[in-house]
Amino acid sequence: SDAGYQKDRVVTEEEWLRKWEMGNIGFHKEQGHPLLQKYLDVLLNGRSGLRIFFPLCGKAVEMKWLADMGHSVVGVEVSEQAVKEFFSEHSLPYFEEPVPEISGAKIFQSTSGNISLYCCSIYDLSSSIVGKFDGVWDRGALVAVNPCDRQRYVSLMISLVEKSSSYLLVTVLYDPNKHKGPPFYVPESEIKSLFG
Ligand code: SAH
């Protein structure tokens, strides 16, 4: 399809870390995402006390929103700087521990216990480590994954959700000949084939 121009592009973990170091984080939304507010009911579907997953979480403020509503939030982010900024910018005390199952990984947990952020690559996670989730907020995540890794990413996400869970996915629509991404353009037909 017309997204072919981006299919070989790779952004390495080092490049992501460097974006954080340089403050090159135009994707971060200080105000939170209006689409989460708009579709919150779809995500929650009348349920309370959910486990909600934020893949490639950055320092998304929506994690604080959902935790404040009584849900338990789990995120994964490769940049330790991002994770630490999340807790400090919300004045949340936290502690950090190694993750025994993943070499080099750390988990940062709010002392209140309702926000746990894994600092490692998402591809290091599995349901035996993080369990399964009732809801997913995928914004800046599928569209940030390297095009060659999309199927692997989606298969992993499917393995991390319950049958009854809701998955909110935010994508962007633009001419992929004009920007190299990320965010990458993921055509709707590809989303359908990826998720089945
Ligand atoms: N979802 C967030 C951040 C979007 S930018 C938001 O809405 O603001 C994508 C983020 O994914 C970056 O912070 C980057 O450091 C992180 N990232 C990239 N590759 C990753 C990987 N393989 N595992 C975990 N995090 C990753």
Side-chain angles (χ1 to χ4, degrees), residues 11-13 16-17 19-20 25 27-29 33 54-62 76-79 82 118 120-123 137-141 144-145:
V11 180
T12 63
E13 284 184 21
W16 282 109
L17 298 184
K19 285 181 200 281
W20 280 99
I25 54 162
F27 51 81
H28 177 67
K29 281 188 174 264
H33 208 293
F54 280 67
L56 283 65
C57 62
K59 53 175 181 176
V61 301
E62 299 86 354
V76 61
E77 166 57 52
V78 84
S79 163
Y118 286 83
C120 60
S121 170
I122 189 167
Y123 304 113
W137 172 243
D138 183 324
R139 182 269 171 183
V145 160

Side-chain angles (χ1 to χ4, degrees), residues 35-195:
L35 287 172
L36 180 56
Q37 266 161 334
K38 183 166 177 197
Y39 292 104
L40 184 62
D41 291 348
V42 175
L43 181 64
L44 302 182
N45 193 18
R47 303 166 297 170
S48 56
L50 302 185
R51 292 193 79 221
I52 299 176
F53 187 45
F54 280 67
L56 283 65
C57 62
K59 53 175 181 176
V61 301
E62 299 86 354
M63 298 195 283
K64 177 75 166 45
W65 292 359
L66 288 163
D68 286 346
M69 290 173 210
H71 305 291
S72 111
V73 168
V74 176
V76 61
E77 166 57 52
V78 84
S79 163
E80 183 166 329
Q81 180 186 338
V83 169
K84 288 183 166 164
E85 286 180 11
F86 172 79
F87 287 110
S88 65
E89 287 172 13
H90 296 282
S91 308
L92 289 168
Y94 67 93
F95 59 93
E96 57 178 275
E97 286 176 341
V99 181
E101 300 94 332
I102 311 169
S103 109
K106 286 193 230 172
I107 182 166
F108 292 74
Q109 274 186 279
S110 60
T111 40
S112 53
N114 52 354
I115 303 178
S116 304
L117 306 185
Y118 286 83
C119 186
C120 60
S121 170
I122 189 167
Y123 304 113
D124 294 330
L125 300 183
S126 65
S127 61
S128 61
I129 301 171
V130 294
K132 296 215 183 201
F133 299 99
D134 308 302
V136 176
W137 172 243
D138 183 324
R139 182 269 171 183
L142 174 67
V143 297
V145 160
N146 290 321
C148 60
D149 293 326
R150 267 177 207 154
Q151 188 63 68
R152 181 184 182 197
Y153 169 84
V154 171
S155 300
L156 173 62
M157 294 303 292
I158 291 170
S159 76
L160 296 181
V161 295
E162 303 281 7
K163 281 261 179 307
S164 57
S165 61
S166 331
Y167 194 118
L168 293 188
L169 172 65
V170 183
T171 62
V172 283
L173 182 57
Y174 66 89
D175 181 348
N177 305 312
K178 294 197 173 139
H179 305 274
K180 61 187 166 100
F184 297 111
Y185 168 54
V186 187
E188 191 159 356
S189 56
E190 187 175 342
I191 293 166
K192 285 187 176 143
S193 66
L194 285 167
F195 285 89

